Amino acid sequence: MQNETSNVWLSEPVYGICRLSLLSLYREPVVGSGLTSQLLFGELYKVQRKTRDGLWYFVAGESQAGAGWMLASQHHDLSADSFDVFLQSPLHITTAPISKVIWEKSQVLLLPGSQLHAGNHEFFDWETLFSFEGSSRPFSKKADRTELVNIANTFINAPYLSGGRSIFGLYEGSWMHLVFKIAGYIIPNYLSQLLTSGEEVGLADIQAGDIVVFGNEQGFASRAGLYVGDGQMLAIQGKVRLSPFDPDKWISAENKSKQLQVLHVKNLMGS
């Protein structure tokens, strides 16, 4: 009997856009398998393969939003031309805990990091073409370090969720990705990819807005936090929370034998 969940690679990519408040991506095309990431309203993706029964699509989100299996019934199809228009059009990124938009005559709730495209065929002009209630900022505007920290603070108390990518559940990589996306930057969505991203600055030169990657005694990355200045760090410990972090103490030799070590300090904002 043929395995209906085996992969069928597509000869040509299929394009899509998330038209749900939150669209979950899974490790396997099976109900109940673990999350790998989630897509937010307005985020673009490419379908790379599908199951033989056509019920699941494996997709890769644009701008490093993550990849995984989604239900085919949640797919919103785009032509290649429309996909390119969306890809190149100016973006506004939502910032309010909950925003609202009227799309196809129905209200959709938007979570922080959702995308609104300013294309000719999409819903901008803001005031005349659609009803938007909430707050947003243009993606093209790069935040400074103070604004980046303020954006990160809006996620305080968001719970931990492996593979989650919204205020209802986050893990280190997805939280960093969302904060930086809202601030106008694209960084990797997965913790392992942060190791080779950005500029290595070291603890002696750390600034507010830098990412600290921690590892175990074997040197494998296990946690990350955002340094916010004044000896404080935002990190996920059950939830996003503020905790003390004194760079000078971590530089000292007494910390090098601890199970939790600082592996990298990264500037992901450029010069």
Side-chain angles (χ1 to χ4, degrees), residues 15 78-87 121:
Y15 303 95
L78 287 179
S79 67
D81 288 343
S82 294
F83 182 85
D84 287 339
V85 169
F86 277 112
L87 200 59
H121 66 302

Side-chain angles (χ1 to χ4, degrees), residues 1-270:
M1 182 172 144
Q2 191 178 46
N3 182 3
E4 292 185 342
T5 61
S6 61
N7 295 342
V8 176
W9 287 88
L10 305 181
S11 57
E12 297 290 338
V14 173
Y15 303 95
I17 186 170
C18 178
R19 285 302 184 226
L20 302 173
S21 301
L22 193 64
L23 194 164
S24 293
L25 305 180
Y26 298 94
R27 298 184 187 280
E28 302 291 340
V30 178
V31 173
S33 67
L35 287 175
T36 59
S37 190
Q38 294 173 311
L39 299 179
L40 296 161
F41 184 91
E43 292 189 315
L44 301 165
Y45 59 87
K46 294 177 183 176
V47 181
Q48 298 178 337
R49 59 189 191 268
K50 63 180 181 180
T51 55
R52 290 193 180 277
D53 58 16
L55 296 179
W56 294 84
Y57 291 162
F58 186 88
V59 308
E62 288 296 305
S63 301
Q64 303 197 51
W69 291 95
M70 64 174 282
L71 288 168
S73 58
Q74 295 180 323
H75 171 63
H76 186 93
D77 194 57
L78 287 179
S79 67
D81 288 343
S82 294
F83 182 85
D84 287 339
V85 169
F86 277 112
L87 200 59
Q88 297 172 27
S89 65
L91 288 177
H92 271 241
I93 309 298
T94 60
T95 59
I98 299 290
S99 298
K100 301 176 183 178
V101 66
I102 302 299
W103 178 71
E104 289 193 342
K105 300 180 180 180
S106 297
Q107 178 178 277
V108 180
L109 299 179
L110 306 184
L111 303 176
S114 299
Q115 296 184 176
L116 300 171
H117 295 83
N120 293 332
H121 66 302
E122 181 68 352
F123 30 52
F124 277 41
D125 177 0
W126 286 88
E127 292 81 8
T128 60
L129 296 185
F130 77 107
S131 173
F132 175 75
E133 192 178 312
S135 62
S136 68
R137 68 185 306 280
F139 178 75
S140 59
K141 180 184 177 183
K142 305 297 184 186
D144 61 17
R145 290 176 179 272
T146 299
E147 187 177 3
L148 179 82
V149 169
N150 289 338
I151 291 169
N153 279 324
T154 65
F155 287 88
I156 287 179
N157 291 324
Y160 171 81
L161 175 64
S162 179
R165 194 165 162 267
S166 81
I167 55 173
F168 299 119
L170 297 160
Y171 66 108
E172 281 90 347
S174 67
W175 174 56
M176 299 293 182
H177 183 273
L178 273 182
V179 169
F180 276 80
K181 176 186 175 182
I182 294 170
Y185 303 87
I186 291 298
I187 70 168
N189 187 47
Y190 300 111
L191 180 59
S192 60
Q193 296 172 341
L194 289 175
L195 304 182
T196 56
S197 301
E199 175 191 2
E200 189 78 34
V201 295
L203 283 166
D205 298 314
I206 193 170
Q207 298 181 67
D210 288 338
I211 288 178
V212 181
V213 180
F214 298 92
N216 57 25
E217 54 190 352
Q218 285 79 37
F220 296 110
S222 59
R223 286 180 49 201
L226 184 77
Y227 185 64
V228 299
D230 299 324
Q232 297 287 313
M233 171 175 288
L234 280 170
I236 299 180
Q237 299 173 10
K239 63 179 182 179
V240 178
R241 66 179 75 202
L242 194 65
S243 57
F245 180 80
D246 185 345
D248 291 337
K249 289 184 178 179
W250 285 87
I251 293 174
S252 65
E254 65 187 48
N255 281 281
K256 293 183 179 179
S257 61
K258 289 187 174 182
Q259 289 185 344
L260 190 64
Q261 303 178 38
V262 172
L263 297 182
H264 301 278
V265 179
K266 296 282 189 172
N267 169 18
L268 301 179
M269 303 180 72

